[in-house]
Amino acid sequence: DAGVTQSPTHLIKTRGQQVTLRCSPKSGHDTVSWYQQALGQGPQFIFQYYEEEERQRGNFPDRFSGHQFPNYSSELNVNALLLGDSALYLCASSLVARTDTQYFGPGTRLTVL
Amino acid sequence: AQSVTQLGSHVSVSEGALVLLRCNYSSSVPPYLFWYVQYPNQGLQLLLKYTTGATLVKGINGFEAEFKKSETSFHLTKPSAHMSDAAEYFCAVISGNNNDMRFGAGTRLTVKP
């Protein structure tokens, strides 16, 4: 049983570009949450998706957007990249009724030059 | 809004010594509390969680934590440290119907031979 998978593993972009990160949830899970972890800090909640809709959002600008597909996989899009967007982006999956039990993927390391 | 404070960004212990990682939370409603471990270049792995019931929670790898409402604390302990315990540890909280999991800044545990 595959756990949470994320792609790509690493990504290098330049300021102003756009990026798309992908996440496949653990089998049987229907809810996906995204987190940003800057170097030396704890993860920060970006948003959560369930039934293809954004269920809750953290304190992130509109440059951060997402999508959830019918198969529960999800994408995180970031527009107009800033140097400060460089971070490890973590995806976590859960059941909507049990968001207290989240399984995390290995993350995508985004570097903005 | 809920929040978490981890006291000590870096803790160093000798192999076989007691491990104590401190976490204090702030929440206006009964919280769900979590400890996660992160090894280099990996995602987060759940060590243990408190939701309701018994305040002493046992987790994986010999770790345990005690929820103390009067002290708003959820400290993580392990009686005897192993070299393999060296990692970054994060305390996190969810409150009420809020799906926004808030993480502390993390504590890096070093285990000396």
Side-chain angles (χ1 to χ4, degrees):
Chain A
D1 176 27
V4 179
T5 60
Q6 294 185 243
S7 63
T9 305
H10 295 88
L11 204 52
I12 299 176
K13 293 286 188 179
T14 57
R15 282 178 296 174
Q17 286 190 311
Q18 179 265 343
V19 69
T20 298
L21 311 181
R22 295 175 176 83
C23 172
S24 291
K26 180 178 170 63
S27 178
H29 284 183
D30 55 15
T31 302
V32 173
S33 302
W34 286 93
Y35 295 83
Q36 180 195 67
Q37 185 179 15
L39 197 61
Q41 298 182 24
Q44 289 194 339
F45 176 74
I46 303 174
F47 42 54
Q48 183 180 90
Y49 275 82
Y50 170 66
E51 290 190 333
E52 303 180 47
E53 291 191 359
E54 185 181 289
R55 191 164 178 244
Q56 188 161 354
R57 188 180 184 92
N59 188 25
F60 279 80
D62 291 344
R63 297 187 298 109
F64 289 77
S65 63
H67 188 75
Q68 186 179 35
F69 299 93
N71 67 354
Y72 307 116
S73 67
S74 177
E75 289 182 349
L76 164 66
N77 300 291
V78 186
N79 294 322
L81 284 168
L82 304 174
L83 295 179
D85 295 332
S86 294
L88 179 68
Y89 288 85
L90 296 166
C91 168
S93 75
S94 61
L95 293 171
V96 67
R98 293 301 309 272
T99 53
D100 62 309
T101 304
Q102 298 189 31
Y103 291 80
F104 282 81
T108 293
R109 173 74 63 188
L110 172 64
T111 301
V112 182
L113 303 177
Chain B
Q2 70 272 22
S3 66
V4 163
T5 301
Q6 291 184 241
L7 301 177
S9 59
H10 189 197
V11 170
S12 181
V13 301
S14 297
E15 192 173 19
L18 171 71
V19 175
L20 171 60
L21 305 183
R22 300 178 185 274
C23 172
N24 287 89
Y25 70 90
S26 171
S27 176
S28 58
V29 297
Y32 288 179
L33 294 160
F34 308 82
W35 276 100
Y36 284 89
V37 61
Q38 186 176 38
Y39 296 99
N41 300 314
Q42 293 188 26
L44 302 177
Q45 181 182 9
L46 180 66
L47 279 176
L48 49 80
K49 66 179 179 181
Y50 168 80
T51 54
T52 59
T55 57
L56 181 62
V57 181
K58 295 186 183 299
I60 62 172
N61 301 338
F63 284 94
E64 63 181 36
E66 187 171 10
F67 170 61
K68 292 187 176 181
K69 183 178 178 180
S70 61
E71 299 177 8
T72 62
S73 69
F74 191 59
H75 301 330
L76 181 71
T77 61
K78 181 174 181 177
S80 177
H82 295 162
M83 297 297 292
S84 60
D85 294 327
E88 189 87 18
Y89 291 80
F90 293 95
C91 183
V93 62
I94 292 176
S95 294
N97 293 322
N98 193 339
N99 294 298
D100 177 353
M101 182 177 283
R102 298 290 178 96
F103 286 83
T107 297
R108 180 169 299 278
L109 176 66
T110 301
V111 182
K112 299 175 292 185

